[in-house]
Amino acid sequence: MAWISLVIVALLFFAPGVGLGSKVVVSDIPVSLPLPFVSSFAFRIPFTGPLRLFLECTGTWLVLWLIPFLLDRRQGEIELKERKSYKFLLQRIGLWDDLVNAFRPYITNQLATTLAKILLGFMLIRAVLIYILQAILDSIVPHLADWLASQFGSQFAPLISAAITQGLQFLLRLGPDNGAVVIILCLLVLIANRTFHWEQEFWQGFHLRVKLVERKTSQRDITIPATQ
Amino acid sequence: MTSPSQNDFSGLDERDWQPSKVYQPIPALIIPCGEPARFDELKRAVHNRLNRYESDGIIRWMTTLKPSDPLPQEKIANCIAPMMDLEFWQAMLNRGQIKYIPDAIDHPMQLRFVVICDLLIGDYREKVAEWLSRLAEIIKSTAGERVKCSIMLLVLGSPPSDAGKLSGYWPRFYIADKALGEAQVGSERINEVCQNIITYSTLSEFISFIDYFVDDKKKPARWIALGASAILVDEQAIKNRLEPEILKDLLEPFTRGPLTDIQKDLLSREAMQKARRYRGKLLINMGDTAPFSGWKIAINNKKLDHGKEEWDEPAVVKNEQEGEGCYLSPAVPLAGILFGDDAAWWLDVKKEKDQEKKPNINPTLKLYEKLFIKLKFWWQHVFLNSIHRFLNLFHPISIPDFQDKEENLAQAYQELYADVQRKLDEIEESEFKEDLLSVDPLVHWAAGLQAIIFSIQEIAKTLKESPVFTYSKKGVHPAPFVSEEYFTASVQEDIGFFEGEIRRYRRFQRSLLTWKGFILKLVVAWPLLTELINILTHWPQIRAALVSLGILIVLGLIELIIWRVRDRQKLMELRSLINDGFTRRVLSLLAKSLNGRVLQAEVRLYSIQRSIVEFSGLLAAEYQQAQVDCDRSAQETVPAAEGTLFWLTDYTKALGTDKILVEGIYAEKWKPLVNEVASVLNGTDHGDGHDHLILSWKSEARRKANADASQNNEGKFDKYESCFLDKAFKESFAFGKSVRRVLDDLKQTSQRNANDAFRFDELLIYVLAEQNQTLQTGLKWKWLYQSAHPLGGVTTNSSLATAIIAPGSEVLSLGTGQNNEYWPMDARVVTCPINEIGCIRAVVEWD
């Protein structure tokens, strides 16, 4: 159920062009402070848009997953206690093998999580690089320019500064249009994937218990007649 | 009155009596009168000399009449009736014995009656004349007036005194127990003379000669006393010698000595081949009816240079080429039970394999024709099949469930086994005979019957030692039992194995995403890939979304197809495993069945071997007996005179004078005797400097036996013994018939061949007589004349007539004939169609 829930959330919030995510992410929470001499002081709290998106989509995913999961589990437990054969929700909708047992084909099966990891890693590395380059440009390049001018002449310093600026520009250009959405999607996918695997193991264990109960109920007691 | 010691032909011109060139026999009925036992020996003796004429019905014997009893008129009529039958005369005409069928005008019917009345024993002398007179009347009245009857009377002993009552008989002969000159005569001599008289009076012109003699004297004759002698060929003695020789010749190949090591080696290899061929053919024949499709029994039977086949152990190979699989036919009930309606798909793996064939293009075709064929093949077999197979990738397959099928399956196994048994019953007997009991002339006749015994032993040994057949290069173990419990247990084992394999496949199948799973997985990847493309390309989002969607669909499809193909491969493995499992089980049942048959064959072979050993012993004894018979007849039978009979024997034509190995020009001439030693004798010299050899009768019989064998078996066997044993194997030994009966068959063949080979006509009496020291250079006339001394006769009022009975008058013109110094001056020649020379001296007593 975790994956189905993820599919719904992905389509709802992150479908390219139509997903709600891009709208939610930019809507930081506006704050209006009444000031005595000015009519009011209104501003938006930074990062609240992405936070809101993260919470909304994660909440939706959690709700969509937990409700059927818990209900299914509860019903399963009841049936199991009554030693009845139980058909899980995923079995009823014909997705049991796909979402519990299947691990092939490997590429398709792992594609979403792999992409999420790649994107997240990329975003992280990019952010780190941007920070490092900016720091170099702001604090090290002026000192370096002086030292270079004293050693080799004044012509090298602008070159180094321009090269670092070019790299920084490139990294800034390489970023997505809405990096926060991508990061949230990646995080959501990774979280959901981990949950999905946990759920797989859970259902497999549960299924084993159901099978054991079924086997037990189908067994017949052998009565050994008492010795005459 | 003239003394009979003098020639009484003074008034008879030699030219007046002329014998006929060709004598035409007159049908004769011999009526013996007296004590029946007295005539037995006489009948036998006459029968030996006139065998051919008796069998043709020209000379007949009536049962002995006793003069003391009333005359059986009806019995006499019954004996005469067949002689007057038109069919009888027609048969004589067809045989060329007469020229005309009797008619009422020019050629009246002539019948001769020879009444022999024995007055030496019995007490009927007083009334016998009247009784005989009545007999003559009955004969005449029965024959009718229009039939020209000649009723001859031959009295043994002195004749009755009242000859007047016997006027119905003419001529009236007698053979008394006192010879002319009163010397006493024994009954044996009387018998010999009697048999001579009967022979010559029924089959020569002797009666006509007597008529002529008496007419010439123009006096009424009362009684004629006779003496007779004969020189004849001892036909029985020659036959007695020839028959064991022919039998010995036929038996000889069966009784050859112990086998050499080389022969044993050769026979062992041949036996191994036979055993393999037998098992192989059983399997092949069963293959036509067995519950498999596309199975093939491969037995490497390569043709060798000398036209024989060399058989390896039979193997059930898989389909067209080894290793492809031998599958249960979907048509058998077993398949239906297992796979239901999908049986054809589950079992018919061959069809899918066929799709991988290559086009068969004739290299002589033109380029565009080749191209067309290739294109057509590509379209049909590659393109359409590929589409079909591609579509099949997504076709759902129902995996068979074997639960609750155990009982039905066990029953199906049982039925299958019973069916195979039935099929084997139908085919086994012919294969058993054709393969195991076939006699190979090339191999077996090197060493006779010992080779057959050894060969059977080796076949039985090979059958016992070798596996029945192999499957996938491994021997198929026969099912240990065929009880109901075994079938149930084997079904449980098989189903357990198949279910394990199916579980493995299901596990694999469950590990694969379905198309729904694919969509679920890829939907999540879509925004992520779109973002990645966006980062890398900075395309407009909609474009990046579409491109990523396209990439995901293509990637998904490729992976889906790849894994579907793998799934089908796994499925194919499963199908093969199931097929293989069932095939092995069914083959084990077949092997059990075949093994049973092979064991039965082995038991039968041992039984046949015992029969042949017994037969061999009998043959050896028979061979020894034939050898003894040959030696005895060679020693005992020599040409010799016995009273009035001089028996001549000659084995030259029967046994030959030389022996040659039949090869070269004689191989062409006597093809059936090629490479055999034949007994031959020199034929007429054609003046070309070459020997012109003639086959002896013995070798002629052998040649005929071989020729018949070859003809009856369409050239399969060219030697009698091979053919005989082959037949004995298949018709007698295989069914446990008595070996004595088989031996009797062989002896009958030998007897038949001896009869066919024996040609009495080739034993010319003149030639044989000249070869005998006692009779040569005309001495035969002297011996004949002296031995034919009349038994009876009076010296007064009588005349002496002498007749020389000869088969042809032409020879008599030679130096050893009438011009010879020993030729009796008063003798006249009387023609006789049989191969004898005789002399009758008659004392005619006048009234």
Side-chain angles (χ1 to χ4, degrees):
Chain A
M1 294 308 297
W3 196 266
I4 296 172
S5 172
L6 176 66
V7 169
I8 295 166
V9 170
L11 285 173
L12 191 67
F13 287 95
F14 305 104
V18 292
L20 299 172
S22 52
K23 289 171 189 166
V24 175
V25 82
V26 292
S27 56
D28 287 339
I29 298 169
V31 179
S32 178
L33 292 176
L35 292 174
F37 306 107
V38 190
S39 58
S40 66
F41 178 70
F43 67 97
R44 289 176 178 273
I45 305 170
F47 304 116
T48 50
L51 186 65
R52 192 178 146 199
L53 174 64
F54 179 74
L55 290 174
E56 277 182 14
C57 65
T58 309
T60 312
W61 169 76
L62 216 53
V63 169
L64 287 174
W65 168 58
L66 275 176
I67 292 171
F69 172 76
L70 291 173
L71 285 173
D72 200 19
R73 192 179 75 166
R74 186 182 144 72
Q75 190 61 33
E77 293 284 0
I78 293 166
E79 300 286 337
L80 207 61
K81 273 183 188 167
E82 290 174 4
R83 296 197 163 221
K84 284 181 185 172
S85 178
Y86 181 64
K87 213 167 185 182
F88 299 102
L89 181 62
L90 283 174
Q91 284 175 323
R92 287 199 290 270
I93 60 174
L95 288 170
W96 177 265
D97 280 343
D98 284 309
L99 296 177
V100 177
N101 294 317
F103 57 92
R104 294 179 175 117
Y106 301 111
I107 296 173
T108 305
N109 212 39
Q110 313 254 338
L111 187 63
T113 46
T114 311
L115 280 171
K117 283 175 188 169
I118 290 168
L119 278 170
L120 204 60
F122 172 77
M123 297 295 283
L124 197 66
I125 291 163
R126 177 176 163 269
V128 170
L129 282 174
I130 288 171
Y131 177 77
I132 290 169
L133 286 175
Q134 193 64 54
I136 289 168
L137 202 62
D138 292 346
S139 51
I140 298 173
V141 169
H143 299 291
L144 191 68
D146 292 343
W147 181 75
L148 284 170
S150 64
Q151 293 293 320
F152 306 104
S154 58
Q155 68 271 26
F156 289 105
L159 279 174
I160 290 169
S161 175
I164 291 171
T165 309
Q166 284 287 319
L168 197 59
Q169 292 296 321
F170 172 74
L171 284 173
L172 287 170
R173 272 204 310 279
L174 205 60
D177 293 341
N178 43 5
V181 174
V182 174
I183 290 168
I184 290 165
L185 174 60
C186 290
L187 285 172
L188 182 65
V189 167
L190 291 176
I191 292 165
N193 185 53
R194 181 56 64 89
T195 314
F196 170 65
H197 284 300
W198 173 84
E199 191 190 6
Q200 269 184 326
E201 283 171 20
F202 175 80
W203 285 129
Q204 280 167 353
F206 206 107
H207 185 247
L208 197 65
R209 284 170 63 202
V210 170
K211 283 285 160 195
L212 284 172
V213 168
E214 275 178 9
R215 181 73 55 89
K216 256 186 181 173
T217 49
S218 67
Q219 275 177 353
R220 277 182 295 179
D221 293 334
I222 301 167
T223 314
I224 301 166
T227 317
Q228 296 292 320
Chain B
M1 287 291 142
T2 315
S3 167
S5 59
Q6 292 168 353
N7 182 4
D8 202 20
F9 272 94
S10 50
L12 188 65
D13 194 319
E14 282 185 22
R15 282 169 296 175
D16 289 345
W17 167 255
Q18 288 298 327
S20 306
K21 292 211 168 176
V22 180
Y23 172 72
Q24 291 184 34
I26 298 168
L29 178 66
I30 302 166
I31 306 169
C33 306
E35 293 300 323
R38 177 97 169 92
F39 292 98
D40 291 346
E41 181 59 34
L42 184 69
K43 275 184 186 175
R44 257 197 307 277
V46 173
H47 176 76
N48 283 343
R49 292 168 70 174
L50 304 179
N51 180 14
R52 186 181 146 203
Y53 293 92
E54 282 193 7
S55 58
D56 288 347
I58 293 170
I59 292 165
R60 295 161 193 261
W61 284 80
M62 199 180 152
T63 49
T64 307
L65 303 178
K66 282 183 85 172
S68 55
D69 294 342
L71 281 162
Q73 197 166 349
E74 197 179 343
K75 200 186 269 183
I76 294 166
N78 287 342
C79 286
I80 295 172
M83 298 167 76
M84 298 174 72
D85 189 43
L86 180 62
E87 296 293 325
F88 167 67
W89 289 91
Q90 185 75 50
M92 281 178 74
L93 184 76
N94 293 342
R95 287 193 294 265
Q97 290 165 331
I98 54 169
K99 286 184 178 174
Y100 309 99
I101 287 183
D103 55 44
I105 308 156
D106 298 325
H107 307 99
M109 182 182 283
Q110 288 189 61
L111 295 178
R112 178 163 290 158
F113 297 90
V114 177
V115 178
I116 310 164
C117 186
D118 181 13
L119 296 180
L120 290 169
I121 300 174
D123 190 19
Y124 345 95
R125 182 168 286 277
E126 297 301 319
K127 297 175 183 172
V128 78
E130 200 175 328
W131 188 85
L132 285 170
S133 167
R134 176 80 188 121
L135 176 63
E137 281 169 20
I138 290 170
I139 291 169
K140 273 184 184 168
S141 64
T142 309
E145 285 179 6
R146 292 187 179 178
V147 176
K148 202 174 163 185
C149 283
S150 155
I151 309 175
M152 183 194 111
L153 178 64
L154 174 62
V155 175
L156 305 183
S158 47
S161 52
D162 43 355
K165 288 182 181 173
L166 300 172
S167 58
Y169 292 93
W170 179 256
R172 294 181 291 275
F173 297 129
Y174 75 92
I175 306 166
D177 51 359
K178 277 187 182 173
L180 185 67
E182 297 303 310
Q184 281 291 333
V185 180
S187 63
E188 204 171 320
R189 186 162 181 121
I190 291 172
N191 269 350
E192 284 171 10
V193 174
C194 182
Q195 84 174 253
N196 288 340
I197 298 296
I198 292 168
T199 304
Y200 299 137
S201 58
T202 52
L203 269 181
S204 79
E205 294 174 310
F206 175 64
I207 302 291
S208 304
F209 167 71
I210 289 294
D211 285 346
Y212 186 84
F213 183 82
V214 172
D215 287 351
D216 187 65
K217 295 294 178 188
K218 294 182 175 58
K219 285 190 278 188
R222 195 171 46 180
W223 287 99
I224 302 167
L226 296 174
S229 61
I231 299 172
L232 58 165
V233 182
D234 194 348
E235 183 181 342
Q236 199 54 47
I238 297 170
K239 264 190 177 174
N240 287 348
R241 178 76 193 276
L242 179 64
E243 281 169 7
E245 285 282 353
I246 288 175
L247 182 62
K248 207 174 72 171
D249 254 22
L250 285 185
L251 293 175
E252 194 275 332
F254 292 101
T255 56
R256 285 177 190 152
L259 303 171
T260 64
D261 287 345
I262 296 168
Q263 284 170 335
K264 279 182 180 174
D265 187 46
L266 191 69
L267 287 166
S268 292
R269 273 187 278 150
E270 180 69 14
M272 190 184 286
Q273 285 297 307
K274 278 187 174 181
R276 285 177 173 181
R277 187 167 59 222
Y278 174 66
R279 284 197 305 265
K281 280 195 174 177
L282 274 186
L283 199 58
I284 288 169
N285 286 338
M286 204 168 62
D288 296 338
T289 52
F292 296 103
S293 68
W295 84 330
K296 187 179 174 188
I297 319 290
I299 300 155
N300 296 327
N301 47 337
K302 50 192 170 192
K303 290 244 179 202
L304 299 182
D305 292 342
H306 52 278
K308 281 190 164 187
E309 287 179 317
E310 193 177 76
W311 291 66
D312 283 346
E313 282 298 328
V316 177
V317 296
K318 299 179 165 187
N319 254 330
E320 304 294 321
Q321 292 157 2
E322 197 160 352
E324 281 188 10
C326 155
Y327 301 101
L328 274 175
S329 165
V332 295
L334 194 64
I337 293 167
L338 290 169
F339 305 108
D341 296 337
D342 293 332
W345 185 85
W346 274 93
L347 297 173
D348 203 0
V349 185
K350 186 174 172 284
K351 199 183 277 178
E352 289 181 24
K353 296 279 176 191
D354 284 348
Q355 291 168 1
E356 292 166 10
K357 283 180 184 171
K358 287 186 175 176
N360 188 15
I361 298 174
N362 188 348
T364 57
L365 291 176
K366 290 176 183 171
L367 185 65
Y368 69 89
E369 287 172 327
K370 284 182 188 172
L371 200 64
F372 176 75
I373 290 171
K374 272 187 183 175
L375 275 173
K376 195 178 165 192
F377 182 84
W378 182 86
W379 173 257
Q380 285 178 345
H381 290 88
V382 180
F383 182 73
L384 292 180
N385 276 340
S386 300
I387 289 177
H388 178 73
R389 288 166 80 172
F390 180 77
L391 292 174
N392 264 349
L393 287 177
F394 303 99
H395 189 265
I397 303 295
S398 64
I399 307 294
D401 186 4
F402 297 129
Q403 277 180 356
D404 306 328
K405 288 180 179 172
E406 286 181 10
E407 200 178 325
N408 289 343
L409 203 56
Q411 202 180 346
Y413 275 168
Q414 248 173 328
E415 282 169 11
L416 178 74
Y417 181 73
D419 198 33
V420 168
Q421 289 282 89
R422 270 198 300 280
K423 304 290 180 200
L424 274 177
D425 283 342
E426 287 168 17
I427 57 180
E428 193 221 13
E429 191 58 36
S430 60
E431 298 301 345
F432 180 78
K433 285 183 190 170
E434 284 306 315
D435 291 314
L436 298 186
L437 299 185
S438 62
V439 171
D440 186 342
L442 283 175
V443 180
H444 290 118
W445 295 109
L449 214 52
Q450 293 301 319
I452 301 280
I453 294 167
F454 180 79
S455 182
I456 289 177
Q457 207 173 339
E458 287 297 296
I459 292 170
K461 208 166 84 184
T462 315
L463 283 176
K464 192 198 275 180
E465 286 171 359
S466 308
V468 177
F469 57 89
T470 58
Y471 173 62
S472 296
K473 296 179 180 173
K474 286 179 189 168
V476 175
H477 296 291
F481 314 101
V482 281
S483 61
E484 205 172 317
E485 289 77 11
Y486 170 75
F487 285 121
T488 310
S490 56
V491 163
Q492 283 170 351
E493 185 191 334
D494 291 344
I495 285 183
F497 170 70
F498 301 143
E499 282 185 337
E501 292 301 323
I502 287 171
R503 263 198 300 276
R504 276 179 59 196
Y505 171 69
R506 280 189 194 279
R507 211 174 295 136
F508 172 79
Q509 211 184 20
R510 278 199 301 269
S511 74
L512 285 181
L513 287 175
T514 64
W515 62 272
K516 291 182 279 187
F518 264 86
I519 291 170
L520 288 176
K521 292 286 178 174
L522 293 176
V523 161
V524 178
W526 182 37
L528 290 164
L529 188 63
T530 307
E531 291 303 333
L532 187 63
I533 289 170
N534 196 23
I535 288 167
L536 295 172
T537 61
H538 289 287
W539 284 344
Q541 200 176 29
I542 189 72
R543 188 174 168 189
L546 287 174
V547 169
S548 67
L549 188 64
I551 289 170
L552 288 175
I553 289 170
V554 170
L555 187 75
L557 275 177
I558 289 169
E559 252 207 327
L560 182 69
I561 289 165
I562 288 169
W563 282 95
R564 276 284 160 189
V565 170
R566 285 186 187 172
D567 174 69
R568 285 296 186 259
Q569 281 170 349
K570 290 270 179 194
L571 196 60
M572 182 68 88
E573 281 170 23
L574 176 68
R575 284 163 73 187
S576 292
L577 276 169
I578 289 176
N579 271 306
D580 213 45
F582 272 118
T583 302
R584 280 202 172 275
R585 177 66 64 194
V586 172
L587 286 179
S588 77
L589 294 177
L590 298 191
K592 170 75 182 170
S593 193
L594 276 177
N595 223 18
R597 296 299 152 148
V598 167
L599 274 173
Q600 276 179 14
E602 197 187 316
V603 170
R604 277 181 81 182
L605 281 175
Y606 279 125
S607 155
I608 289 168
Q609 191 197 5
R610 274 197 301 277
S611 295
I612 294 174
V613 169
E614 192 188 339
F615 183 61
S616 173
L618 279 176
L619 283 181
E622 200 63 39
Y623 182 73
Q624 272 186 341
Q625 185 58 47
Q627 184 76 51
V628 169
D629 289 348
C630 288
D631 295 345
R632 195 182 56 222
S633 61
Q635 283 170 2
E636 285 180 358
T637 315
V638 288
E642 290 177 7
T644 62
L645 302 173
F646 201 109
W647 293 101
L648 293 172
T649 53
D650 180 27
Y651 302 119
T652 312
K653 286 185 186 298
L655 308 177
T657 52
D658 296 302
K659 288 189 173 178
I660 61 156
L661 182 66
V662 179
E663 55 187 3
I665 55 163
Y666 293 110
E668 289 171 24
K669 195 173 170 186
W670 306 318
K671 205 174 173 187
L673 294 175
V674 171
N675 294 330
E676 288 191 26
V677 174
S679 303
V680 294
L681 60 150
N682 272 311
T684 316
D685 188 357
H686 291 218
D688 54 5
H690 294 295
D691 287 338
H692 290 276
L693 301 177
I694 297 170
L695 269 187
S696 65
W697 294 349
K698 187 174 80 165
S699 289
E700 188 61 44
R702 172 78 189 164
R703 191 187 70 80
K704 189 175 176 300
N706 283 351
D708 286 350
S710 181
Q711 197 180 355
N712 293 339
N713 291 278
E714 297 165 347
K716 188 179 171 190
F717 303 109
D718 53 2
K719 299 292 174 201
Y720 167 76
E721 51 275 6
S722 310
C723 175
F724 172 79
L725 203 64
D726 191 63
K727 195 176 162 200
F729 259 149
K730 288 168 187 168
E731 292 177 11
S732 304
F733 295 143
F735 296 105
K737 282 187 185 168
S738 157
V739 290
R740 176 65 67 179
R741 205 191 288 176
V742 179
L743 181 64
D744 288 345
D745 283 352
L746 191 138
K747 284 166 85 176
Q748 276 172 13
T749 309
S750 167
Q751 182 70 44
R752 203 168 45 246
N753 287 345
N755 288 340
D756 290 347
F758 186 80
R759 294 194 191 95
F760 187 63
D761 297 345
E762 290 180 8
L763 297 167
L764 299 174
I765 189 70
Y766 291 116
V767 178
L768 262 59
E770 284 307 312
Q771 286 171 358
N772 189 281
Q773 211 171 0
T774 318
L775 305 176
Q776 67 189 4
T777 58
L779 282 169
K780 58 181 173 289
W781 308 122
K782 186 181 173 186
W783 184 87
L784 279 170
Y785 188 82
Q786 286 176 347
S787 303
H789 187 73
L791 304 187
V794 290
T795 50
T796 55
N797 196 20
S798 64
S799 301
L800 183 64
T802 305
I804 294 290
I805 321 290
S809 55
E810 297 84 3
V811 186
L812 297 175
S813 59
L814 299 174
T816 54
Q818 282 172 298
N819 299 326
N820 192 270
E821 58 180 308
Y822 297 110
W823 177 267
M825 292 305 290
D826 58 342
R828 294 293 177 266
V829 177
V830 169
T831 312
C832 174
I834 57 175
N835 192 29
E836 292 183 9
I837 313 172
C839 176
I840 300 177
R841 290 171 68 193
V843 179
V844 184
E845 297 171 9
W846 308 110
D847 263 340

